[in-house]
Amino acid sequence: MITSTNNERVKKVVSYVEKSKARREDKVFVIEGMKMLREAPVLQVREVYITEKFLDSAGEDDKEILWRYGAETVSDEVMKKMSDTQTPQGVLAVMSQYEYSMEEVLEGYNRESDIEGKESAPLILVLENIQDPGNLGTMLRSGEGAGVTGVILSKGCADIYNPKVIRSTMGSIFRMPFIYVEDLPGVVNDLDAKGINTYAAHLKGQKNYDEFDYTGPTAFLIGNEGNGLTKETADAAATYVLIPMKGEVESMNAATSSAILTFEASRQRRG
């Protein structure tokens, strides 16, 4: 059992939780909780840490998973030091990061077929400068639920491997292809050239979002929580779409906008 918070392995895990640079250099991220570990792809799991208290209360199926990974037992104090939460769940794992190509993002790495066996058209989220980790994680989670096939992020977005993002994805991080890009307007132009219809969520939209046909290849552009899309990125889109609002509300939460648009596309695709 590891009981010292000065243990080198413990300090390494703490650096992965706290610093994006450490995660990036070693190409890892951290997950917490048995639910996440159950969903994690086996080949991505590098290390697993558990407390004795968690092990004593774990079911036989969970114990089998933990022993499969050679879980290391740590004291409650050490787990609290490594955890990003105030009340750790008692199980934590270090995972290998994902590396997706633009082709995998556009084609839908895990795309499902519809009820007739026909492959659905790409449904892409293009995110610019999304700063709130909870928003970003929620976008991945709701995106998976709506059938999003891939996510493209500007370099100004939050680190997708931030523990708060990971927690908010509720496991979608394992299944949603994504890629960070330097030139987002250029990528949007490339999407148009590939026959993917690009729609920017924008207050200057002349038509409401539910007046368009999203059954073909579609990409939705969502901008920063406070400032929306930059002019250059918004102008690269083929069409502005408006989410109408009542009352004195001036703007929509980015994650909410993403869910509204992607679930409308999902509704249309169900026929």
Side-chain angles (χ1 to χ4, degrees):
M1 176 190 286
I2 299 176
T3 58
S4 172
T5 56
N6 288 320
N7 178 282
E8 288 303 315
R9 290 173 66 184
V10 173
K11 290 195 287 188
K12 200 72 172 173
V13 174
V14 171
S15 74
Y16 296 151
V17 170
E18 296 180 348
K19 301 175 182 178
S20 59
K21 181 180 179 183
R23 294 192 292 269
R24 188 166 57 251
E25 287 177 348
D26 288 357
K27 297 184 177 180
V28 298
F29 65 103
V30 176
I31 63 171
E32 294 190 50
M34 200 63 214
K35 179 182 183 300
M36 290 286 281
L37 185 59
R38 289 190 207 102
E39 294 185 26
V42 173
L43 296 180
Q44 299 293 122
V45 180
R46 290 195 184 185
E47 303 169 3
V48 177
Y49 298 91
I50 55 172
T51 62
E52 282 189 329
K53 182 179 179 181
F54 178 83
L55 186 60
D56 289 343
S57 64
E60 290 304 315
D61 289 345
D62 286 345
K63 286 181 180 178
E64 184 178 338
I65 293 172
L66 295 170
W67 296 137
R68 178 202 306 162
Y69 291 126
E72 179 80 48
T73 307
V74 301
S75 67
D76 289 345
E77 182 185 8
V78 168
M79 180 61 73
K80 189 167 184 178
K81 179 71 173 179
M82 293 192 297
S83 174
D84 184 58
T85 62
Q86 290 294 319
T87 54
Q89 298 182 50
V91 56
L92 175 152
V94 178
M95 309 285 297
S96 296
Q97 290 188 4
Y98 292 88
E99 292 186 16
Y100 296 105
S101 66
M102 181 62 79
E103 287 70 27
E104 287 173 322
V105 171
L106 297 184
E107 293 175 4
Y109 188 70
N110 294 309
R111 193 188 317 168
E112 297 178 352
S113 297
D114 63 20
I115 56 175
E116 295 180 351
K118 297 176 182 177
E119 198 172 65
S120 59
L123 180 59
I124 311 296
L125 269 179
V126 181
L127 308 179
E128 183 175 42
N129 302 336
I130 301 298
Q131 293 294 298
D132 184 83
N135 271 343
L136 183 53
T138 299
M139 286 172 161
L140 265 70
R141 184 184 179 193
S142 64
E144 182 184 13
V148 168
T149 50
V151 180
I152 299 171
L153 307 100
S154 72
K155 287 291 187 181
C157 284
D159 177 13
I160 206 164
Y161 293 118
N162 179 307
K164 292 180 176 62
V165 177
I166 298 299
R167 203 157 51 243
S168 296
T169 70
M170 297 291 287
S172 294
I173 187 69
F174 303 136
R175 300 177 290 273
M176 182 64 68
F178 61 87
I179 192 168
Y180 283 85
V181 298
E182 294 282 355
D183 178 16
L184 197 62
V187 169
V188 174
N189 288 327
D190 289 343
L191 296 181
D192 280 321
K194 293 177 184 293
I196 297 174
N197 300 309
T198 54
Y199 299 91
H202 206 287
L203 293 174
K204 292 183 179 179
Q206 298 297 306
K207 295 174 66 177
N208 293 340
Y209 73 97
D210 56 0
E211 298 180 63
F212 295 91
D213 180 359
Y214 305 126
T215 56
T218 299
F220 291 119
L221 282 61
I222 309 289
N224 174 266
E225 291 89 346
N227 302 312
L229 293 163
T230 62
K231 185 177 186 305
E232 185 181 11
T233 298
D235 288 350
T239 309
Y240 283 179
V241 297
L242 177 68
I243 298 175
M245 293 173 284
K246 294 184 177 181
E248 297 183 20
V249 177
E250 295 181 355
S251 63
M252 183 73 68
N253 172 272
T256 303
S257 297
S258 172
I260 288 171
L261 294 173
T262 54
F263 274 95
E264 171 62 17
S266 178
R267 183 193 67 79
Q268 292 184 15
R269 293 174 181 209
R270 290 197 305 272

